[in-house]
Amino acid sequence: MSMKAIQIRQTGSYSALTYEDVPLPTPKSNEVLIRVRYIGVNYVDSVIRSGDLPSVVMPVLPMIPGVECSGIVEATGSEVEHVKPGDRVVFFGKHGVGCYAEYVVGEAAYVTPVPSEVPLDTAAVLPVNYFTAYDMLHHIGAVKRGQTILVHPAAGGVGTALIQLAKLAGLRIIGLVGSDEKKAYIKQQGADYGINYKTENVVERIREITDGEGVHVSFNATSGQTIMRDAEVLAAFGQMIVFGTLNGLPSGGLEEIYSRFVLKSIAVRVYAVYSQYDQNDDLYNQALKQLLRYAADGLIQPQIYQTFHLSEAPAAHRLLDQGITQGKILLHL
């Protein structure tokens, strides 16, 4: 039997995403076969497609991309007890492989039941963006109520999740964005302040907002030259959590950060969500169940920017790469 899926046979531009027939997968004893309804489109998907992922973690080609999806359980392996055929579930896949398809086989530990109150499109947004935000806030950053955080870029998928979850945690939130339209968007999501880095002096505005103290934690997916700016606006004993390189690798080495900011005793962390995924599935499951409860109770509201059919994956990637989205792009079946 076969199914439709997006294949990458050779890395490159958007035409590398081909819609074709592939064999229907069969679950092993500890796996679940899911009939996919919604698929999250993530930055890592674009990096894999373009071939820019480091070779040590680049999946073997040909491959089906996609790290997260929601859908209906079709079949389960003999060892699986927590879900059954017909259940609504969400799945977080391993290292960028598998979800751009009509069906996906998922390791049972990362297949989570979805409450009836949570739509499946909402559920599909949670594993990557919201788990990443939750983990960075509460386990890596160990934020405390009343602290001030900086989020950038603030209008994307993880940025939106960070704002909503930080608001629940009682934090003061400053978001960096590239347009006044996005500034309005992040304030709607709960940010206390928005700064348009293209038209405003970021350092001066943060000093003004914090009365010269600076921010306690910066969540930075931009990197590039923004690393040194983060170091400048951090408060004493503050920390910078770098979780992406949208503007390239960090500029300004640790030697420069140390020499200029040693008296502030700041910390620099590099974060990848798969560090937790690979080493602590219990933590992942606890966090995702909490996020599903938040969604069921209306405490978080994942924002879906646009939805494309699976066959339109090239258009979805093109939109993602334009950097204009406010919230999440999904594929659907």
Side-chain angles (χ1 to χ4, degrees), residues 81-105:
E81 298 180 349
H82 72 295
V83 294
K84 63 184 185 303
D87 285 353
R88 303 162 75 250
V89 294
V90 63
F91 169 60
F92 189 5
K94 195 164 190 174
H95 300 303
V97 180
C99 287
Y100 282 32
E102 290 183 311
Y103 292 86
V104 65
V105 161

Side-chain angles (χ1 to χ4, degrees), residues 9 22 64 69 139 168 193 206 232-233 282 302 311 317 324:
R9 297 187 175 277
V22 300
I64 299 171
C69 65
H139 301 126
L168 286 179
Y193 302 92
I206 290 175
E232 189 167 353
V233 301
D282 286 341
S311 61
H317 274 225
I324 62 173

